[in-house]
Amino acid sequence: MDKRPEILIVDDSKTNRAVLRGIFKQNYELVEAEDGEIAIQVLESHPDIALILLDINMPRMNGYELLAYLQQDSQLSNIPVVIDTEFGDEESELKALKLGAMDFLTKPYNPEIVLHRVQNVMAKLQLEQQHTEQRMNEKQIKELRYQAEHDLMTGIYQRETFYTKTVAMLHANTDIKYMLIQWDIERFKVINDLYGTDVGDAVLIGIARTFDDIVLGIGTYGRLTADNFVCCVPKDRISVEQLLKQFEKSFCRLQLNYQISLYAGVYDIHNIEVPIDQMCDRACLALRTIKGNYMKHYAMYDNKLRETMLEEQYIVSEMQSALEEHQFDIYLQPIYNIASEQVVSAEALVRWHHPDKGMIMPGLFIPLFERNGFITKLDAYVWERTCQYLKKRKTEGKKEIPISVNVSRMNLYNPNFCEDMIALLQKYHLDARALKLEITESAYIDNARQLLETMGKLQEYGFKILTDDFGSGYSSLNMLKDVPADILKIDMKFIDDLEHSDRAGNILTSVIRMAKWLDMSVVAEGVETKRQFEFLRSIECDDVQGYYFSRPLPIDQFEALVD
C-alpha cells in the first residue's frame, strides 16, 4: 500500500486545527504545530512533508516569518505552502504571495472547496516534478548519447559515430565528390615520453580543434584510436596540403623543441556503396607506404595498393596454417671472419615455401606480421628450429657455429621473454653462446628502458646481443652510447654508398673505431663486391655477411659449406 502524502497544519487555534483535521484525515497523514518555531522542529523530524497549511497570525513566529525562513532553505523552499486567511484580507494574501505562498484557504472553511484547493496544489506540484524529472532524464539521455558518440578527450566523433555520420553525408550529397583521409602522428609515443601525457593530449586536442575550424559544416571527422584521426571532406573545398599547414600551426603554438610529423593516407570515394570501414582500410594502406618518409607526408590509394591489400589479406588467411604445416623453412646466411675468410657464425633467416604460391619472400610477409603481431609466433618458431639444428650438430660432434636469430621488437613487450629464451636453451641443453640475439635499432627508439632491462638479464645469463640494422634510424649514436650490446651489425645502406661516396667510407671508419673503443666487435652486412670487402678489411672490421661470400642457404647446403 502506498504511503499517503503528509500535511503539516500550522495554526495556534485548536478549533481551526480540528476543523482542518476533519477535512483532510481521510486522504492525508497529518502533523500539527502551534506556531512557526514548533513547525521548524516538526519539519526537521518529518523530511517527507508534502504541503504546509499555514496560519498568518500566530505568537512567537508568525506565518510571514516562517515563510521567509522556508525560502532561505534550499530544501524547505520546495514545499508548497497554502495560507489560511480571513475572507477579503487581500493585503495579507499579497504579502504571502511575495514570500512564496501558492494558494489560500479562507475562513470560515468550506470543506469541499478547501479539499479541492489543496488537491489542486498537490496535483500541480506533482506535475511540475514529473516535468522536472522528464527534463532531467532528457538531459541525462542527451549527455549519455554525447558520451557514446564522441571521443571524451577531444570532443569529436569516435569511430562508430564517424562511420554513421559519414555514410549519411555521402548518401545525402551524391552530387559532391568526397575524399576520405586517415591521419597518424609519427612516433607519438616519443612525445609522451619526452614531454608527458599532458603535452601529448594537447597535441591531440590541437588536431581536433583544427578539424573544428576547417572541416566543421562541410565534412565529417573523428578520432579512431590514440593518435589516429580520420576525416571525410569535399575534394573541391579543401586539400590535404591545407590541413597539413593548419596542423603545423597548431603544433607550433605548443612551442616544443620537437618536430611533430603528421602523415596522411587519402582514398578518393568513387563508389559510396563501398563499406566505410573498407574506405578507412584503404586510406590506412596508403598511409603505411609513407610512414617514416620525411620527404613525403601523404599518399593516395590506387589499384596497386589494392592489389597489395588483397595479397596481404591472402597472406593473413594462410599464415596460421602455414606455421602449423611447417611451410616456413630456416635458411642460414654464413658470417665470415675478414682475416681468416672462414665461416665463424651465421644468421637464421626464414623463407616461406607455399604449396600453391611457391616461394613467398620475407619482404612481403615480415612487415605484415610485425604489424598484426603474428611475428612473435614466427620468431618463436624460428628460434625453436634453430635450437633443434644446433642440438643436432652438437649431438653429431660437429664444430660449434653460433647462430644469431632476430628478436622482433614486439617480443620485448612480453614480460616473460627472458625466461622463455633461457627455457629454450635448457630444453635443448645448449650453451648461451650458441644462440645470439639480434635486436633492431628501432626497438631502442620505441622502448629504450625495457630494452635495456631485457638485455641486461640476457647478457647476465650469457647471451651475446647484436644491434641489427645500425644506421637505419635517426638516433644511432644515442643507441651506440646507451645500449651495451656485444656486437654492432652495420646496416647495408652504409655498404651500398661505399662505391659512390668518400663520406660514407669516412663515416663507416669512424663508426668502427667507436665500436672498438666501446669493446664491441663489428659485423658488416650486405657485402657484395671485392672492393667493399677490401675496404672493410683495411679499416679493421671484424666480420662480414653478404652475397660476396654467400647468399642465405638451406640448412643442408650450409652444412656442406661449413663441414
Side-chain angles (χ1 to χ4, degrees), residues 3-214:
K3 183 179 178 181
R4 297 192 302 176
E6 196 169 15
I7 293 178
L8 170 60
I9 301 173
V10 187
D11 199 315
D12 62 333
S13 169
K14 291 183 179 179
T15 302
N16 289 343
R17 295 203 304 271
V19 173
L20 293 172
R21 190 164 54 246
I23 295 172
F24 293 109
K25 65 181 181 181
Q26 289 186 348
N27 300 310
Y28 300 94
E29 297 292 332
L30 302 172
V31 187
E32 300 178 18
E34 298 174 5
D35 58 44
E37 290 185 358
I38 297 174
I40 291 173
Q41 297 174 9
V42 172
L43 288 168
E44 290 176 351
S45 60
H46 291 72
D48 296 328
I49 294 294
L51 182 138
I52 300 173
L53 295 177
L54 178 61
D55 185 29
I56 292 297
N57 299 310
M58 296 181 295
R60 294 202 294 178
M61 179 183 281
N62 62 34
Y64 297 130
E65 293 170 330
L66 180 58
L67 272 171
Y69 177 86
L70 295 176
Q71 290 303 309
Q72 294 174 3
D73 189 293
S74 60
Q75 293 183 335
L76 297 179
S77 63
N78 293 322
I79 301 175
V81 178
V82 176
I83 298 298
D84 189 1
T85 68
E86 298 292 338
F87 180 76
D89 190 358
E90 294 182 354
E91 184 180 351
S92 297
E93 292 182 6
L94 180 60
K95 187 174 181 180
L97 284 171
K98 291 180 178 179
L99 288 170
M102 291 190 68
D103 205 346
F104 302 92
L105 304 178
T106 57
K107 303 171 186 175
Y109 302 122
N110 180 320
E112 190 173 354
I113 292 175
V114 167
L115 184 61
H116 277 89
R117 280 183 178 273
V118 169
Q119 288 176 339
N120 289 341
V121 169
M122 298 282 280
K124 182 180 179 182
L125 177 65
Q126 185 177 11
L127 185 61
E128 288 180 351
Q129 288 177 336
Q130 290 175 350
H131 287 164
T132 301
E133 291 175 359
Q134 183 177 357
R135 286 194 296 270
M136 289 180 63
N137 289 336
E138 289 174 354
K139 182 179 179 182
Q140 291 174 346
I141 291 171
K142 187 175 181 180
E143 289 177 353
L144 290 173
R145 183 182 295 117
Y146 180 88
Q147 292 176 9
E149 293 182 347
H150 292 76
D151 172 60
L152 296 185
M153 178 194 294
T154 62
I156 64 178
Y157 290 147
Q158 49 91 321
R159 180 193 298 268
E160 295 303 325
T161 314
F162 170 79
Y163 286 175
T164 302
K165 299 291 185 181
T166 302
V167 169
M169 179 183 70
L170 294 175
H171 282 83
N173 300 278
T174 54
D175 57 328
I176 298 177
K177 297 296 183 182
Y178 286 92
M179 60 181 173
L180 187 141
I181 313 171
Q182 191 156 325
W183 305 86
D184 180 74
I185 302 173
E186 177 75 359
R187 301 197 183 281
F188 179 68
K189 185 177 182 297
V190 175
I191 299 174
N192 282 331
D193 290 343
L194 290 177
Y195 299 100
T197 55
D198 288 345
V199 172
D201 292 349
V203 171
L204 301 178
I205 293 170
I207 292 175
R209 296 297 76 79
T210 299
F211 281 135
D212 288 339
D213 293 340
I214 299 180

Side-chain angles (χ1 to χ4, degrees), residues 241-456:
E241 292 89 344
Q242 285 176 279
L243 282 166
L244 282 169
K245 288 179 181 177
Q246 292 301 318
F247 288 135
E248 288 176 5
K249 288 181 180 179
S250 72
F251 299 151
C252 288
R253 296 189 196 106
L254 298 174
Q255 296 182 335
L256 302 179
N257 187 25
Y258 183 86
Q259 178 66 42
I260 301 175
S261 297
L262 198 63
Y263 291 90
V266 184
Y267 172 71
D268 276 342
I269 301 175
H270 301 292
N271 179 7
I272 64 173
E273 299 304 326
V274 173
I276 189 68
D277 58 337
Q278 287 189 23
M279 295 183 188
C280 288
D281 287 343
R282 294 174 182 182
C284 183
L285 187 62
L287 188 152
R288 287 179 195 161
T289 64
I290 53 166
K291 285 281 286 181
N293 184 339
Y294 296 97
M295 302 301 293
K296 187 177 182 182
H297 284 267
Y298 70 93
M300 306 292 296
Y301 176 86
D302 56 22
N303 287 333
K304 184 178 180 181
L305 284 177
R306 180 177 181 276
E307 292 172 4
T308 300
M309 184 178 68
L310 293 174
E311 187 173 34
E312 287 186 352
Q313 289 175 345
Y314 179 81
I315 288 173
V316 168
S317 68
E318 294 284 304
M319 62 188 185
Q320 184 61 45
S321 59
L323 195 68
E324 295 168 356
E325 296 170 7
H326 299 284
Q327 294 175 17
F328 295 103
D329 284 335
I330 304 302
Y331 277 50
L332 299 174
Q333 185 169 29
I335 297 174
Y336 286 78
N337 177 263
I338 281 188
S340 66
E341 299 189 23
Q342 296 296 312
V343 177
V344 292
S345 183
E347 178 183 1
L349 302 169
V350 65
R351 298 291 184 266
W352 185 354
H353 291 281
H354 191 276
D356 299 323
K357 293 278 189 177
M359 175 76 81
I360 302 177
M361 298 306 293
L364 292 177
F365 62 85
I366 293 294
L368 177 59
F369 291 173
E370 287 177 341
R371 292 196 300 270
N372 66 19
F374 191 75
I375 192 67
T376 56
K377 292 185 177 181
L378 182 60
D379 279 351
Y381 174 87
V382 171
W383 301 338
E384 185 92 24
R385 293 285 300 274
T386 301
C387 286
Q388 290 172 356
Y389 172 63
L390 288 168
K391 174 66 174 177
K392 176 176 177 293
R393 285 189 64 86
K394 182 178 179 181
T395 302
E396 294 173 353
K398 294 182 178 180
K399 174 185 175 182
E400 180 181 275
I401 298 178
I403 297 176
S404 61
V405 294
N406 288 285
V407 177
S408 302
R409 55 188 172 185
M410 286 195 67
N411 288 292
L412 300 176
Y413 292 99
N414 175 8
N416 300 317
F417 172 65
C418 294
E419 290 75 12
D420 292 346
M421 296 305 298
I422 292 170
L424 184 62
L425 287 183
Q426 293 173 345
K427 176 180 177 180
Y428 291 100
H429 306 288
L430 296 172
D431 190 273
R433 66 174 180 270
L435 191 70
K436 299 179 181 181
L437 306 178
E438 296 196 14
I439 298 175
T440 62
E441 180 180 353
S442 59
Y444 165 75
I445 297 170
D446 287 346
N447 200 342
R449 183 182 304 171
Q450 188 164 350
L451 172 63
L452 295 177
E453 291 176 0
T454 302
M455 285 179 60

